[in-house]
Structure formats: C-alpha cells, structure tokens
Amino acid sequence: MTKFPELVFSGVQPTGNLHLGNYLGAIVKFVELQNSHQCIFCVVDLHAITVAQNPNELKSNIREVTAAFIAAGIDPEKHIVFNQSQVPEHAELAWVFNCVARIGWLNRMTQFKEKAGKDRENASVGLYAYPTLMAADILVYRATHVPVGEDQKQHLELARDIAQKFNTDFSQSIADSGFGEAYFPMPIPLIQGPATRVMSLRDGSKKMSKSDTSDYSRINLTDDPETIAQKVRKAKTDSDALPSEIEGLIKRPEAENLVSIFASLNNQSKADVLSDFGGKNFSSFKAALVDLAVLKLGPIGLEMARLKKDEAYIDQVLSKGSHRAREIASQTMKDVKSILGFIQ
Ligand code: TYM
C-alpha cells in the first residue's frame, strides 16, 4: 500500500449565518487538529454558487467565514486558509472527477435530494455535481483526513469511491508515471465527539441549519450574549427533569440535543453532563447552558466583528493562503494530466 503523509483538509460554505452546528461539528475540530497536523482550511465559495447568491452578500460571507476561522483560533500563518475560487485547480480536477464518478453514485446523494426538493428539474447542474467538486477539494491536496459533521459522511464516502476508481482505472499509467500503486489516498472522515449533528433548537428532529427560516432554531456565531440567552431560554424541551443516565435521553431529542451541546462546549462527555445535572429541571440546566455558551462563543463573536472590519487583512490572508494552496494543487494537476495522457 502506498503511504501518504497525513494532511488535514476541510471546507465551510460562505452562505451566511455560521452557527453552533458549524462551530461544534467542524470548526472546533479544525482548531484542535492544527496542533497535531498540517492543515488546509478552505472557504468553499465555488460550492456556494450552486444555489443563487447575491454577489455583495457572497463577498461579505467569504470574509465572515475567514474571520470565524481566525477568531476561533486557527493560525493562518502556520496553516493554509484560503478561498476556493482563487485556486482554479479545484474546478479542473472536479471536471476529471465528473468523468470518473458514475451518475448512479450521484443519484444516491441525499443532500442533493433535500436541497433540490420537489423542483429537481430546476436545480442547477452544479448542485447535482457538487460532490465531485468536494472530492476534488480534498484530493487536489491528496489530503488524508477530513474533519466534518455527520451530514457530510455520504459525500466523503463518494470521495473515497472516486479516489479508488481513479487509482484502479489508471493503475497502469500511475505505475508508469512513477507514482507506485495509488495516486490518491482514501481520505478518512473525522466525525467525532458529542456534537457531530447539532439539531434545531425549535425541533429536535431537524438539523440546525443556515437556511432555517426561524432564527430561533440556531445560535449564530455573531449573536450577542442577550440573543444567545433568549434563544437558549426559548429552546424547545419536554416537561420531565433531566435523566441521570444516557439511556434516559432516548426518545427525548430536544433534551439530548441540549445535553450534547453542553458536553461539546465544555469538552465533556454526555454522561459527565448528566451526572452533574441528572434530576435537575430544564430551567436550571438552561441557565448553566446560557453561561457556558456566552463564555465560549461571546469572545469569538466579538473577534469576528473586529476582524470583519479589517477587510484588507482578511483579503491578504486569503490571497497568501491561495498562493500556498496553489503550489500544491498545481503539482497534483500536472501529475493527473500526465496520468490521463494529456500533452502538457
Ligand atoms: P457546510 O458549509 O454546510 O458546513 C460546514 C461544516 O459544518 C458541519 N455542520 C454541522 N455539524 C454538526 N451539526 C450541524 N447541524 C451542522 N451543520 C453543518 C458540516 O458537516 C461541515 O463540516 N459540503 C460541505 C463543505 C465542503 C467540504 C469540502 C467539507 C466543500 N468541500 C471538502 C470538507 C471537505 C458543506 O456544505 O459544509
């Protein structure tokens, strides 16, 4: 088996309303991983245009995600932080992968079905082909580890299928070009911890999402302490006290969600949270959750607001990051072209 050096890659869409789910499911993990791995974090603006975008809002959202990365603790000097559209190799490799992936594979993608809804005929071709671009994002760096929330699991499996099929279809040429048995690694999804799927605060059966029409369904990273407090107080719960054991959360999705959020924010397990709060009612638990959420998220929101005002700094981070990313990505495209038999 070919051994690939460990490299972390992940991306976040600049589509507005970065929320607690994005933070706990992804960004917190990025911050942890930067201590043990070389990392590349991408603001995936090419993905954002698979649905309609207002150009001025898009620009502001790209800066906002970048500000969130830095405010949360990612170091753009040590690691690479950039926006996808400044590295054309993502789109170039995505085209190659469009010719590797099978229509049947894409037809199974649940996120496309959800996003396209009933009016599938009217969805963009880009929205359908989204997962091949996502595979290209990861594999253009030959990244080995990808921290994401649970909702991205199926896309990661597809990226692995594409890597595998490319390696198999072109095995002879890969070997002839001197790359050994495999050119692409099989990227490993990192979906860990108590908050891999943060649910809506209004409905424990729905994922917390940027596009939910109710702002009370999510805590945005830019919410001020008073707004965070109001949203937690209004969060849907049932009328029972909190259980002392994990099993007591079964069939209590809203309770389970708030306990998971608390556990993740406080770096604890759900069992630890329940051993502290088991038997207590929701009003005292929610009060503790408000304090914790404000303590952890308040400084990030303030720092994001400060950074967002410094557009020149943010744009320079993205430009520098893109140059560094391109150095890696352009080498991959050279290799891929040679493997495919293109003249260059
Ligand atoms: P996006 O922008 O929707 O979300 C960014 C990250 O946040 C995670 N996430 C959640 N985690 C827990 N609970 C939730 N409610 C929740 N909502 C979102 C997502 O799983 C994700 O990790 N397709 C990706 C972006 C992408 C990407 C990539 C990721 C493009 N290319 C390559 C990794 C590698 C997306 O739309 O994420």
Side-chain angles (χ1 to χ4, degrees):
M1 273 290 279
T2 314
K3 188 110 177 65
F4 294 90
E6 292 201 351
L7 177 67
V8 168
F9 179 93
S10 198
V12 174
Q13 289 202 63
T15 37
N17 293 326
L18 269 187
H19 54 70
L20 188 63
N22 301 127
Y23 180 65
L24 296 179
I27 298 173
V28 154
K29 312 288 170 56
F30 303 174
V31 177
E32 282 167 23
L33 282 160
Q34 65 170 351
N35 297 320
S36 54
H37 285 77
Q38 195 54 47
C39 303
I40 304 179
F41 299 119
C42 183
V43 184
V44 290
D45 47 12
L46 295 177
H47 280 93
I49 62 163
T50 56
V51 297
Q53 295 297 331
N54 169 310
N56 287 328
E57 280 172 21
L58 180 61
K59 195 173 277 173
S60 155
N61 288 336
I62 294 168
R63 292 189 176 122
E64 182 161 304
V65 174
T66 313
F69 283 170
I70 300 169
I74 290 166
D75 181 346
E77 297 291 327
K78 284 209 185 108
H79 302 274
I80 298 180
V81 173
F82 75 107
N83 61 316
Q84 192 185 22
S85 60
Q86 293 204 63
V87 181
E89 286 80 5
H90 287 244
E92 204 177 0
L93 185 60
W95 177 256
V96 174
F97 287 170
N98 280 341
C99 302
V100 173
R102 306 290 91 184
I103 289 178
W105 299 358
L106 289 179
N107 283 342
R108 285 197 287 275
M109 295 295 113
T110 51
Q111 196 147 52
F112 174 74
K113 291 180 195 160
E114 277 163 28
K115 286 201 176 163
K118 288 204 181 76
D119 197 9
R120 205 186 285 195
E121 294 286 305
N122 208 22
S124 72
V125 175
L127 189 66
Y128 183 72
Y130 181 114
T132 59
L133 177 60
M134 182 160 159
D137 298 338
I138 300 162
L139 294 170
V140 84
Y141 304 100
R142 300 209 275 171
T144 55
H145 292 79
V146 186
V148 281
E150 160 77 35
D151 61 344
Q152 296 301 316
K153 192 167 174 227
Q154 196 184 33
H155 288 159
L156 257 295
E157 279 159 10
L158 188 93
R160 291 169 64 89
D161 289 343
I162 289 175
Q164 171 108 59
K165 185 161 162 51
F166 182 94
N167 287 339
T168 313
D169 287 356
F170 298 102
S171 60
Q172 190 58 53
S173 182
I174 289 170
D176 292 348
S177 307
F179 298 116
E181 285 170 21
Y183 183 72
F184 288 118
M186 302 284 278
I188 299 166
L190 300 175
I191 305 174
Q192 290 153 347
T196 55
R197 190 174 175 81
V198 177
M199 307 308 276
S200 154
L201 299 180
R202 308 299 297 158
D203 177 352
S205 66
K206 268 178 32 190
K207 193 180 69 172
M208 185 177 284
S209 129
K210 292 171 187 162
S211 55
D212 197 313
T213 47
S214 164
D215 199 50
Y216 274 88
S217 68
R218 64 181 162 260
I219 294 175
N220 301 308
L221 290 188
T222 48
D223 284 344
D224 59 40
E226 189 42 44
T227 311
I228 295 176
Q230 264 179 22
K231 287 179 175 177
V232 172
R233 274 187 224 119
K234 287 207 168 164
K236 189 177 166 199
T237 49
D238 51 42
S239 50
D240 293 344
L242 280 162
S244 306
E245 310 286 332
I246 296 255
E247 296 72 44
L249 292 173
I250 293 170
K251 299 223 172 101
R252 297 179 67 188
E254 284 84 13
E256 159 133 50
N257 191 36
L258 294 184
V259 169
S260 304
I261 290 172
F262 193 104
S264 185
L265 281 172
N266 214 24
N267 242 324
Q268 281 180 297
S269 68
K270 286 193 268 184
D272 287 341
V273 176
L274 292 180
S275 79
D276 291 342
F277 288 95
K280 299 226 167 88
N281 60 25
F282 272 106
S283 62
S284 59
F285 178 65
K286 280 182 169 179
L289 182 54
V290 167
D291 288 347
L292 179 62
V294 168
L295 180 76
K296 297 283 174 160
L297 303 178
I300 296 176
L302 285 176
E303 181 63 359
M304 275 174 74
R306 190 189 70 79
L307 285 167
K308 258 199 92 176
K309 284 199 207 115
D310 195 348
E311 290 181 359
Y313 169 69
I314 297 282
D315 294 2
Q316 169 256 319
V317 164
L318 293 173
S319 161
K320 266 195 182 165
S322 300
H323 279 102
R324 289 165 70 193
R326 253 199 118 172
E327 276 176 30
I328 310 172
S330 60
Q331 183 58 52
T332 303
M333 272 324 293
K334 276 200 192 116
D335 297 347
V336 167
K337 284 181 179 170
S338 142
I339 291 166
L340 291 171
F342 291 156
I343 292 170
Q344 44 185 334

